[in-house]
Amino acid sequence: MTKRNTQQRRRAIVELLAESGEVSVDCLAQRFDTSEVTIRKDLAALESNGLLLRRYGGAVPMPQEMIADPATDKVSDRKIALAKAAAELILDHNRIILDSGSTTTAALLPELSHKQGLVVMTNSLNVANALRELENEPTLLMTGGTWDPKSEGFQGQLAEQILRSYNFDQFFIGADGLDLARGTTTFNELFSLSRVMAEVAREVIVMAESDKLDRKIHNLELPWEQIAVLVTDTGFPDEAVAQLQQQNVKVIRV
């Protein structure tokens, strides 16, 4: 199934839902001559975009009270723009790492459906579950380790040991703060696993909005010398770009 056909089918599902008020997995599978597994992935993707609400065996329209406030749409649109730009850096069959605990990196997940043959390592159950919903489902690797509810990911020495047994093309991570003098900063005190992720990846890509610049956060997560690319928005100032370029960091503004 091509990307275009997938998009057309999903648009048709939304149109059918608007007409009938309810759709079922088995009827949709028959209508589009595809498997129920594919339809469930379609419904999951449409639900993640706020276009419907899944119910047992099918889906219904999203209740009005659950539709996001338009005031938050600009932030969401900005994260999606960053994710699309970051996804352009991923080649088919790349081996990548996705960190837990970042809404910005979570926005990257739908973009992975356009890639073929990916291998994805993560320490996040949420990320793992989202990857399983993709039509072009990548090969999924989990770090294991000890569950940390604060970071919503697995942490610890076991996770680090497992990571060190692999090598990867790219590591994608968000940031709580951007310190031009030091690197990315975080509120979370458990950041040693992120550093190991950076060590085992050929290229580290940070996705962070410009409003993270110069936040006063004590914990240094990744120094700039470990970071290859910063994907940010057009609010990131020219002088900051120049300063990071001196540290061999490529800045992509979208």
Side-chain angles (χ1 to χ4, degrees):
M1 182 66 68
T2 66
K3 173 184 169 184
R4 181 180 178 186
N5 287 341
T6 299
Q7 292 173 336
Q8 289 175 337
R9 186 179 63 246
R10 290 177 180 176
R11 281 197 296 268
I13 290 172
V14 173
E15 292 170 359
L16 283 171
L17 188 57
E19 293 171 4
S20 62
E22 187 175 358
V23 293
S24 67
V25 171
D26 56 349
C27 289
L28 291 174
Q30 292 177 24
R31 183 183 184 96
F32 296 105
D33 192 25
T34 189
S35 69
E36 292 189 3
V37 171
T38 295
I39 293 299
R40 289 192 182 96
K41 289 182 178 181
D42 288 341
L43 297 182
L46 292 169
E47 184 181 55
S48 69
N49 289 325
L51 296 174
L52 53 78
L53 193 63
R54 283 187 292 174
R55 289 285 186 261
Y56 182 76
V60 296
M62 183 68 73
Q64 190 64 35
E65 62 271 18
M66 294 181 64
I67 296 175
D69 186 339
T72 64
D73 286 349
K74 290 184 178 179
V75 175
S76 297
D77 289 346
R78 190 163 53 181
K79 290 181 188 298
I80 291 170
L82 265 60
K84 289 183 181 296
E88 292 179 2
L89 304 174
I90 303 173
L91 302 178
D92 288 345
H93 307 289
N94 267 14
R95 299 164 59 87
I96 68 174
I97 309 174
L98 296 179
D99 194 24
S100 64
S102 169
T103 55
T104 305
T105 51
L108 181 62
L109 295 172
E111 303 302 319
L112 301 184
S113 64
H114 311 324
K115 308 294 179 178
Q116 301 291 332
L118 293 182
V119 176
V120 183
M121 169 73 85
T122 184
N123 64 328
S124 166
L125 286 178
N126 290 335
V127 169
N129 288 331
L131 290 171
R132 291 178 60 247
E133 298 290 348
L134 297 179
E135 186 157 328
N136 294 331
E137 186 175 337
T139 299
L140 174 62
L141 304 175
M142 293 290 294
T143 64
T146 302
W147 177 255
D148 172 52
K150 186 174 181 180
S151 66
E152 295 189 347
F154 291 98
Q155 305 285 345
Q157 291 185 355
L158 177 60
E160 294 175 13
Q161 290 171 6
I162 291 173
L163 272 167
R164 287 195 171 102
S165 65
Y166 293 89
N167 57 77
F168 295 88
D169 297 299
Q170 294 161 312
F171 169 37
F172 292 85
I173 184 172
D176 293 324
L178 299 172
D179 186 324
L180 291 178
R182 298 189 298 156
T184 65
T185 56
T186 179
F187 293 112
N188 186 10
E189 295 182 354
L190 295 175
F191 49 80
S192 62
L193 187 65
S194 297
R195 291 186 175 179
V196 176
M197 289 176 169
E199 289 172 11
V200 300
R202 178 177 51 81
E203 185 179 51
V204 177
I205 297 141
V206 174
M207 304 162 57
E209 295 153 287
S210 60
D211 59 9
K212 305 290 181 69
L213 187 61
D214 290 331
R215 281 189 177 182
K216 304 301 180 182
I217 303 173
H218 177 70
N219 299 320
L220 174 65
E221 188 164 30
L222 296 177
W224 291 118
E225 54 261 31
Q226 284 192 289
I227 297 167
V229 181
L230 170 65
V231 182
T232 186
D233 56 70
T234 54
F236 200 79
D238 291 341
E239 57 271 21
V241 172
Q243 189 168 337
L244 292 186
Q245 286 175 338
Q246 291 178 352
Q247 301 186 68
N248 297 316
V249 178
K250 180 181 179 180
V251 180
I252 298 174
R253 292 185 289 187
V254 295

